[in-house]
Amino acid sequence: MAEHPDLGRVLRQEAGRHVPDRDAILTRVARRRSEPSRSRWAFLALRPVAAAASVVATLVVGFTGIKLAGDREPTQPPAATGTSAPASISPSPSASLPASPDASPGDDPPVGATTRPHQPPATAGSPPAPKWTPVAGYLSSAAEVDSHSNATWAQGNLILTTTETVTALDVLVSVVRTDGVANAGQWSSIPAEMLTMTVTEEKDALLYRFTLHDGATLAPGAYTFAAQYLHATGERDQDADSYGAIATGGTDGKKVEISGAFQAD
């Protein structure tokens, strides 16, 4: 095929005008050097695989050796190396040890066995009711809601009766704070100049206290201590209201304590 008459001239002209771009060449060379070869990356990727294969091979050989050693029956039982203290097993309170078929009621328990008294399991339920003591020695008591109480106001009457002269007395009446309960006053059949009367408002109850002054005495007889309060409209349940008293009296100065609850209507 005949050469184009102008092709050689054009090529020679272009070759003469061409100036190599040195910066571009150096950039391409540096980029190539920064890229690891495929063979290097392949080697690095295979190293963990080879290491894992080596570990697996080691484990297989080890288990094979154990299996082969375990297949042989020992000709003699292994000797014990050292002594250890016997384990102590204590039965739980609700469990009992099974009886031996050959055991009789008179046999002694085995050595090392620990016996404990049987403890019945605790039963869930409401707490036991308080144990009131309305009578103690020369002092007796009775408590009830006054018959003049109405739908929004009530009065709790505590009557203490003594058969001996009382030289010291401390009385406490507790009115539970049901809906709307608020203090409305207090009084006693004992003259006011002989008593100190206070009311303490607790979170869950009103506490009415009556304390006999030092040096004052009460002759044998019955005395009333009244706690007055307001409450929500309607009939109020006074079953949780209670009282207590400590008195000293008699020729020997005996101290007695009484307690109780207000009677339901």
Side-chain angles (χ1 to χ4, degrees):
M1 179 178 179
E3 184 179 357
H4 192 281
D6 296 329
L7 182 57
R9 180 175 55 82
V10 172
L11 291 175
R12 285 191 295 271
Q13 290 177 355
E14 291 296 329
R17 288 198 302 267
H18 177 69
V19 178
D21 190 347
R22 185 173 179 273
D23 293 337
I25 294 173
L26 292 176
T27 299
R28 285 195 294 270
V29 171
R31 187 181 303 160
R32 286 289 185 180
R33 288 179 179 177
S34 64
E35 295 177 357
S37 63
R38 292 185 179 179
S39 59
R40 181 185 178 189
W41 281 111
F43 174 73
L44 293 177
L46 288 175
R47 286 181 63 187
V49 177
S54 176
V55 173
V56 172
T58 302
L59 292 176
V60 170
V61 172
F63 281 117
T64 302
I66 294 173
K67 178 63 178 176
L68 292 175
D71 289 339
R72 302 190 192 99
E73 296 293 338
T75 56
Q76 295 180 352
T81 57
T83 60
S84 59
S88 176
I89 302 177
S90 299
S92 62
S94 59
S96 59
L97 294 175
S100 173
D102 299 331
S104 60
D107 290 341
D108 294 331
V111 177
T114 303
T115 58
R116 295 180 180 178
H118 175 70
Q119 298 178 358
T123 58
S126 58
K131 294 182 178 179
W132 304 119
T133 308
V135 179
Y138 53 83
L139 193 65
S140 61
S141 63
E144 61 182 3
V145 176
D146 192 276
S147 58
H148 295 93
S149 301
N150 56 43
T152 59
W153 175 92
Q155 175 177 296
N157 294 331
L158 169 61
I159 301 175
L160 297 182
T161 302
T162 175
T163 57
E164 299 283 352
T165 300
V166 172
T167 57
L169 179 65
D170 198 1
V171 178
L172 189 68
V173 176
S174 174
V175 176
V176 174
R177 301 192 76 165
T178 55
D179 292 343
V181 166
N183 174 35
Q186 64 187 133
W187 64 270
S188 174
S189 58
I190 299 173
E193 61 269 17
M194 297 175 60
L195 282 178
T196 297
M197 297 185 292
T198 61
V199 179
T200 303
E201 297 187 0
E202 299 288 346
K203 181 179 179 180
D204 55 355
L206 299 179
L207 305 180
Y208 298 79
R209 188 172 184 179
F210 307 81
T211 304
L212 188 66
H213 289 170
D214 291 342
T217 60
L218 300 177
Y223 300 90
T224 301
F225 303 86
Q228 300 173 335
Y229 52 90
L230 302 174
H231 60 82
T233 303
E235 184 177 357
R236 178 182 177 272
D237 184 5
Q238 75 279 356
D239 289 348
D241 297 346
S242 59
Y243 65 88
I246 301 175
T248 301
T251 55
D252 55 355
K254 183 179 180 180
K255 180 180 291 187
V256 294
E257 299 182 14
I258 56 102
S259 62
F262 281 77
Q263 298 177 359
D265 293 339

